[in-house]
Amino acid sequence: MVPEIGHYALVLAFALALVQSVLPLWGARRGDQALMSVAPPAAVGQFLLVLVAFLMLMVAYLQSDFSVVNVWENSHSAKPLLFKISGVWGNHEGSMVLWVLILAFFGALVALFGVNLPDTLRATVLSVQAWIAAVFLLFILGTSNPFLRILNPPAEGSDLNPILQDVGLAIHPPLLYGGYVGFSIAFSFAVAALIEGRVDAAWARWVRPWTLAAWCFLTLGISVGSYWAYYELGWGGWWFWDPVENASFMPWLAGTALLHSAIVMEKRNALKIWTILLAILTFSLSLLGTFLVRSGVLTSVHTFASDPTRGVFILAILVLAVGGALTLFAWRAGSLQTGGVFAPISREGALVLNNLLLTAACGVVLVGTLYPLALEAVTGDKISVGPPFFDATFAPIMVPLLIAVPFGPMLAWKRGDLYAATQRLMVAAGIALAVMIGAYAYAYGGPVLAPVGIGIGAWLILGAISEITFRSKLFSSPLATGLRRAAGLPRSAWGTALAHMGVGVTVIGIVAVTAYETETIVAMKPGDTIDVAGYELTLDGFSPFQGPNYRDQVGHITVRRGGAEIGVLNPTRRVYLASGQPTTETGIRTMGFSQLYVSLGEGSGDGSVAVRAYYKPLVTLIWLGTIFMTVGGVVSLSDRRLRVGAPRRARARAPVPAE
């Protein structure tokens, strides 16, 4: 009965989405308040129905109901509770229900908290959001029904893919979808604005909080996914330029450009065309990522499905959504006013440069991701585009962008003074240069450009600090006064500084681990010792461990430095009992911001085992920086000036008659 309730809830949600997609839009065009008022309750009702479907699927997993095909294919009665829950979205069908749940959730948020939006705009936004929900609900019901039954249910399930049975993969998809799907709101606002023919600073104010929330989710989702791949796959890398990784990175780049463009539009009523186009393209890239993961055109540890029929359906959705939005954009673009005028040297100019470089970088990633697929489709030839291509094309675009970032907040709106901004940043530049020289001296003989990259990271951090000190006049006034001014700065100013600092921290981590990591791959027997960057690693032996649905062979490696023991690493070879599939659990010891990283390979007949050992300097800064970025986004989002909508004008009170 539980699966039938879930399936029926999806059917009702689809019907309600059709109603929501038509009536409010028709009401907005006719000025019919009754029809427009259908949108908020329909959006909330649609969310509740999809939530019921999602919970029913979760109940089926918790009960190990193997009469449901989806549960049988992706669960096992011995699987731990956490992974029974995460198994709901650890497959194509369940993850699509989660996708639509988050989509409906964002629509419900607009319905509940968008009360200050103009009635016609809110109705149109919710109608566009319902279009998206309706086509994806149709996709689920038509090609990806998670509630299909088995006539003669088996006694046991096939188990979830072992590499997905991890805490990181339990939280990575919901966070990533929060970003992917969250950008649908920006898309819906853009399409609604084009339908209404109204694109102004108020529109940018309304759309910016939703974009910022989605950006925070996507930033954290990419970070969690990166760390999961780092420790779970045993390859020792944090980013592989995998096409599916790129599929999440491209919306992040476009979304970052959209955020900055929306700031200019809100403050100066400029860059309207840029902002609308970026809102469309950002969600379009999210849809592209959905297509790549589920179409079968890629083979990756990240992919969910390989059914071409599903791929064609999603491709049709992609073409209709992107093609329709761009057609509407082309129709309305000529009527969009240019807005405020500004000099090239100004804060607007700096943000335009930011957008140009970010979109160029996004274009490079897009070409590197899709070109091999297009070439194979046309000629049948298979090529691999990996780190050498992206290192040679992506990095040169990002370097000038990173150098320019601290200048933007120091420039005035409309017309800035580059010389004055440079003077304010002289201390930051001097310290960054000293960091660069120190890095070169410390790692003398290493890669020549690595100290430059570390210096750029320091420049970003110090530039963000300089912005706060300049705005609060911390060193040009009494300390107590300066601190009060700093505390009184808008939260968006603090959020921006934290996000820029986070970029700098991540850059330092990326450069340090890429340039200076030490790798040792060797066959070891119990009692053998190897040296890794001055650390002595001794393999003491192995011991078995029986988990709830797996069996481990745990390695014990003692770590010493200068003869003194500093810890033990326990890399593991794991075999899952249901599938017989082996996985690797790495042994990691964190020392400051650096890590020792050890993974075990296959054993041989002579009793030795392949050991892959790394020393990764400052590697944790990569993910610490993304935390800074996310916190910065959340702090900015908490700024009262970024509350959703704009306040309605208070009605003028009638004068009180004199007595």
Side-chain angles (χ1 to χ4, degrees):
M1 188 63 184
V2 166
E4 285 70 30
I5 293 174
H7 184 253
Y8 190 54
L10 284 180
V11 174
L12 290 178
F14 172 66
L16 196 56
L18 291 178
V19 172
Q20 182 186 334
S21 65
V22 175
L23 294 185
L25 181 61
W26 182 249
R29 304 282 65 78
R30 296 182 56 187
D32 190 323
Q33 191 65 42
L35 290 178
M36 286 190 289
S37 66
V38 170
V44 174
Q46 181 195 141
F47 165 68
L48 293 176
L49 286 169
V50 179
L51 178 62
V52 168
F54 182 79
L55 292 176
M56 291 302 100
L57 184 59
M58 184 175 292
V59 168
Y61 269 84
L62 293 175
Q63 293 178 344
S64 294
D65 184 356
F66 299 124
S67 69
V68 179
V69 176
N70 186 262
V71 179
W72 170 69
E73 290 179 340
N74 300 283
S75 192
H76 192 278
S77 59
K79 193 167 63 173
L81 176 62
L82 173 62
F83 303 134
K84 285 185 179 180
I85 295 172
S86 65
V88 175
W89 55 81
N91 59 87
H92 167 71
E93 292 83 2
S95 68
M96 285 308 306
V97 176
L98 176 64
W99 205 99
V100 176
L101 176 66
I102 296 174
L103 182 76
F105 176 67
F106 274 96
L109 288 179
V110 173
L112 294 173
F113 299 106
V115 292
N116 288 328
L117 293 171
D119 293 336
T120 56
L121 179 62
R122 183 167 66 149
T124 307
V125 167
L126 290 175
S127 287
V128 176
Q129 193 76 0
W131 296 348
I132 304 169
V135 293
F136 274 99
L137 284 167
L138 180 62
F139 170 70
I140 292 173
L141 293 170
T143 70
S144 308
N145 187 354
F147 297 107
L148 292 177
R149 289 279 202 172
I150 301 175
L151 292 179
N152 298 307
E156 194 52 86
S158 301
D159 206 4
L160 180 65
N161 186 338
I163 66 171
L164 301 182
Q165 296 189 42
D166 182 84
V167 175
L169 257 290
I171 60 177
H172 165 60
L175 290 173
L176 200 65
Y177 290 177
Y180 267 178
V181 183
F183 284 126
S184 67
I185 293 294
F187 175 86
S188 297
F189 266 95
V191 172
L194 291 172
I195 291 173
E196 290 201 334
R198 175 186 174 181
V199 183
D200 53 19
W203 177 89
R205 186 182 183 87
W206 290 319
V207 79
R208 191 171 153 210
W210 301 106
T211 304
L212 185 55
W215 182 88
C216 290
F217 277 116
L218 189 56
T219 302
L220 201 55
I222 292 173
S223 177
V224 171
S226 169
Y227 194 67
W228 166 80
Y230 169 75
Y231 72 77
E232 178 67 21
L233 300 182
W235 299 341
W238 54 273
W239 191 262
F240 305 99
W241 292 109
D242 180 287
V244 181
E245 290 177 332
N246 296 347
S248 63
F249 190 42
M250 289 185 289
W252 187 88
L253 291 169
T256 305
L258 172 60
L259 274 178
H260 291 85
S261 187
I263 292 173
V264 178
M265 188 172 169
E266 178 186 344
K267 300 292 186 183
R268 296 282 301 138
N269 198 28
L271 302 188
K272 295 180 181 179
I273 293 177
W274 256 105
T275 308
I276 292 290
L277 186 58
L278 284 170
I280 294 171
L281 292 180
T282 300
F283 183 60
S284 300
L285 290 169
S286 296
L287 291 178
L288 176 63
T290 303
F291 168 72
L292 291 176
V293 172
R294 301 166 195 282
S295 63
V297 299
L298 295 176
T299 300
S300 165
V301 297
H302 302 81
T303 54
F304 275 113
S306 57
D307 185 348
T309 303
R310 294 168 175 171
V312 170
F313 199 118
I314 296 178
L315 184 60
I317 295 174
L318 179 63
V319 170
L320 288 174
V322 178
L326 291 179
T327 300
L328 184 60
F329 172 79
W331 177 48
R332 288 287 196 183
S335 63
L336 298 179
Q337 299 178 356
T338 56
V341 179
F342 53 87
I345 304 299
S346 62
R347 190 174 299 187
E348 298 96 322
L351 292 172
V352 168
L353 176 64
N354 169 87
N355 282 5
L356 288 172
L357 293 173
L358 280 172
T359 50
C362 185
V364 164
V365 179
L366 180 65
V367 170
T369 302
L370 296 186
Y371 177 72
L373 304 178
L375 183 66
E376 182 179 357
V378 174
T379 67
D381 297 332
K382 292 187 177 183
I383 64 170
S384 176
V385 175
F389 168 80
F390 292 104
D391 292 345
T393 55
F394 182 81
I397 296 174
M398 295 305 293
V399 167
L401 170 62
L402 298 177
I403 293 174
V405 164
F407 285 96
M410 295 294 187
L411 295 171
W413 293 104
K414 194 173 182 179
R415 182 179 298 276
D417 187 339
L418 184 60
Y419 178 73
T422 303
Q423 285 185 314
R424 297 175 193 130
L425 290 167
M426 286 300 292
V427 174
I431 298 175
L433 181 60
V435 169
M436 190 184 306
I437 295 171
Y440 179 79
Y442 180 78
Y444 182 75
V448 176
L449 293 179
V452 177
I454 292 175
I456 290 174
W459 162 249
L460 286 165
I461 296 170
L462 294 164
I465 295 172
S466 298
E467 176 196 353
I468 294 297
T469 57
F470 168 71
R471 294 187 64 169
S472 61
K473 299 180 180 179
L474 194 59
F475 298 120
S476 59
S477 60
L479 181 60
T481 303
L483 291 175
R484 281 198 301 272
R485 286 182 182 142
L489 288 176
R491 292 182 184 176
S492 59
W494 280 102
T496 300
L498 283 170
H500 289 174
M501 287 176 63
V503 175
V505 171
T506 294
V507 167
I508 292 174
I510 290 172
V511 173
V513 74
T514 302
Y516 303 126
E517 81 170 7
T518 301
E519 177 184 12
T520 301
I521 303 176
V522 64
M524 295 182 69
K525 296 180 181 179
D528 288 350
T529 299
I530 58 173
D531 182 89
V532 180
Y535 293 90
E536 297 93 36
L537 276 61
T538 301
L539 178 59
D540 298 319
F542 301 92
S543 63
F545 176 80
Q546 184 67 48
N549 62 334
Y550 58 83
R551 184 171 57 250
D552 280 350
Q553 191 71 9
V554 182
H556 304 284
I557 297 177
T558 301
V559 181
R560 296 180 177 87
R561 188 174 181 87
E565 182 177 332
I566 62 174
V568 176
L569 296 175
N570 296 117
T572 302
R573 291 287 296 175
R574 176 171 294 176
V575 177
Y576 283 82
L577 303 177
S579 63
Q581 183 174 336
T583 63
T584 298
E585 303 296 318
T586 54
I588 298 175
R589 180 172 179 81
T590 302
M591 299 159 294
F593 296 118
S594 303
Q595 289 184 337
L596 275 173
Y597 176 108
V598 178
S599 64
L600 300 180
E602 296 290 340
S604 61
D606 62 357
S608 64
V609 63
V611 175
R612 186 188 295 263
Y614 299 88
Y615 175 68
K616 295 180 172 291
L618 305 183
V619 67
T620 59
L621 293 183
I622 296 173
W623 301 290
L624 181 62
T626 61
I627 293 174
F628 269 90
M629 293 182 221
T630 305
V631 171
V634 172
V635 170
S636 293
L637 197 58
S638 69
D639 193 318
R640 59 186 177 82
R641 299 180 305 168
L642 285 183
R643 62 184 180 274
V644 178
R648 297 180 185 272
R649 292 182 180 178
R651 294 180 180 177
R653 295 182 179 180
V656 179
E659 295 182 357

